């Protein structure tokens, strides 16, 4: 079975990576798909997020990385994927994820949503938390893959330089 792991991944964290690493144990192939979400203002452009994910999943031969604008179920059908893989951290994720799974089921009966519970060390971790910590110069190397930590540092040092030059 082929699984799609859709998300914003802005940026990918060790929590996402943990779900991907466990997903490849269960499925023939996992396609990590960066979905364009018009209601979110991302820090990194889609192409950069795809590049970040490709780099940190290099060691996983069963992983492909892609991006898509549109409905996740349409993407799944296009790629003959039977499963949408999602991660669950805390109870508040559950409500939103269940609603999404039911909605997707009404759109495509043949596509199943499979939830993997996060490893407990990542249950507090989100892309937003990482961005918040990075913005104020805190340590993020235990939260994201090294290439992403470097991109966040570069992003914030560029912004700092801009602030210094404009003041
Ligand atoms: P979305 O905007 O679709 O929620 P995210 O990039 O925030 O995209 O998350 C993609 C998927 O990964 C979601 O199913 C989310 O619950 C899951 N996820 C996010 N952070 C973690 C984590 N720390 N551990 C496990 N799963 C996670």
């Amino acid at each position: 079975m082929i699984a799609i792991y859709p998300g914003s991944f802005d940026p990918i964290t060790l929590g996402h990576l943990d779900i991907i690493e466990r997903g490849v144990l269960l499925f023939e192939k996992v396609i990590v798909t960066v979905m364009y979400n018009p209601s979110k203002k991302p820090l990194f452009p889609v192409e950069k997020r795809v590049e970040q994910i490709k780099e940190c999943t290099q060691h996983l031969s069963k992983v492909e990385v892609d991006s898509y604008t549109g409905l996740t179920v349409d993407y799944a059908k296009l790629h003959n994927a039977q499963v949408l893989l999602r991660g669950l951290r805390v109870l508040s994720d559950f409500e939103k994820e269940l609603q999404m799974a039911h909605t997707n089921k009404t759109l495509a009966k043949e596509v199943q949503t499979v939830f993997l519970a996060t490893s407990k060390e990542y249950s507090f971790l989100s892309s937003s938390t990482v961005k918040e910590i990075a913005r104020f110069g805190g340590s993020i190397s235990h939260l994201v893959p090294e290439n992403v930590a470097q991109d966040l540092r570069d992003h914030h040092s560029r912004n700092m330089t801009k602030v210094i030059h404009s003041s």
Side-chain angles (χ1 to χ4, degrees), residues 5-10 13 15-16 19 37 40 85-89 93 96-97 100 116 118 122-123 125-127:
Y5 182 32
S8 308
F9 306 109
D10 185 42
T13 67
H16 294 126
I19 297 289
N37 184 342
K40 286 189 180 177
L85 183 61
R86 297 288 290 177
L88 282 180
R89 284 164 293 185
D93 273 350
K96 186 188 77 170
E97 292 288 341
M100 205 169 357
L116 285 183
T118 182
Y122 302 128
S123 59
L125 183 53
S126 70
S127 301

Side-chain angles (χ1 to χ4, degrees), residues 1-164:
M1 269 199 275
I2 298 174
I4 307 290
Y5 182 32
S8 308
F9 306 109
D10 185 42
I12 184 167
T13 67
L14 292 182
H16 294 126
L17 193 57
D18 176 57
I19 297 289
I20 298 169
E21 284 173 340
R22 285 156 57 214
V24 293
L25 302 176
L26 301 172
F27 303 105
E28 180 186 329
K29 182 158 86 177
V30 174
I31 310 178
V32 184
T33 313
V34 177
M35 303 299 294
Y36 171 70
N37 184 342
S39 60
K40 286 189 180 177
K41 195 175 171 294
L43 182 69
F44 293 111
V46 169
E47 306 73 44
K48 182 67 187 172
R49 283 179 264 160
V50 167
E51 184 192 307
Q52 288 169 335
I53 302 169
K54 279 190 178 159
E55 200 169 326
C56 67
T57 55
Q58 264 172 13
H59 60 297
L60 301 167
S61 60
K62 295 204 286 177
V63 171
E64 281 178 20
V65 188
D66 198 5
S67 61
Y68 188 67
T69 302
L71 293 175
T72 312
V73 287
D74 288 340
Y75 183 84
K77 285 189 217 162
L78 270 175
H79 290 266
N80 289 323
Q82 300 87 346
V83 169
L84 297 181
L85 183 61
R86 297 288 290 177
L88 282 180
R89 284 164 293 185
V90 285
L91 203 59
S92 51
D93 273 350
F94 184 76
E95 202 173 336
K96 186 188 77 170
E97 292 288 341
L98 194 65
Q99 191 181 19
M100 205 169 357
H102 284 316
T103 308
N104 283 331
K105 196 85 198 149
T106 65
L107 298 170
K109 277 205 298 294
E110 65 279 28
V111 181
Q112 314 299 327
T113 300
V114 171
F115 297 111
L116 285 183
T118 182
S119 299
K120 65 176 182 309
E121 64 267 39
Y122 302 128
S123 59
F124 64 95
L125 183 53
S126 70
S127 301
S128 323
T129 310
V130 167
K131 285 183 278 194
E132 196 68 16
I133 298 172
R135 183 143 63 106
F136 294 108
S139 170
I140 44 167
S141 50
H142 57 305
L143 305 176
V144 289
E146 186 41 43
N147 61 312
V148 174
Q150 193 53 51
D151 285 344
L152 282 162
R153 282 183 219 114
D154 292 347
H155 177 88
H156 290 293
S157 63
R158 265 197 310 275
N159 274 11
M160 275 311 223
T161 317
K162 269 192 223 152
V163 172
I164 292 165

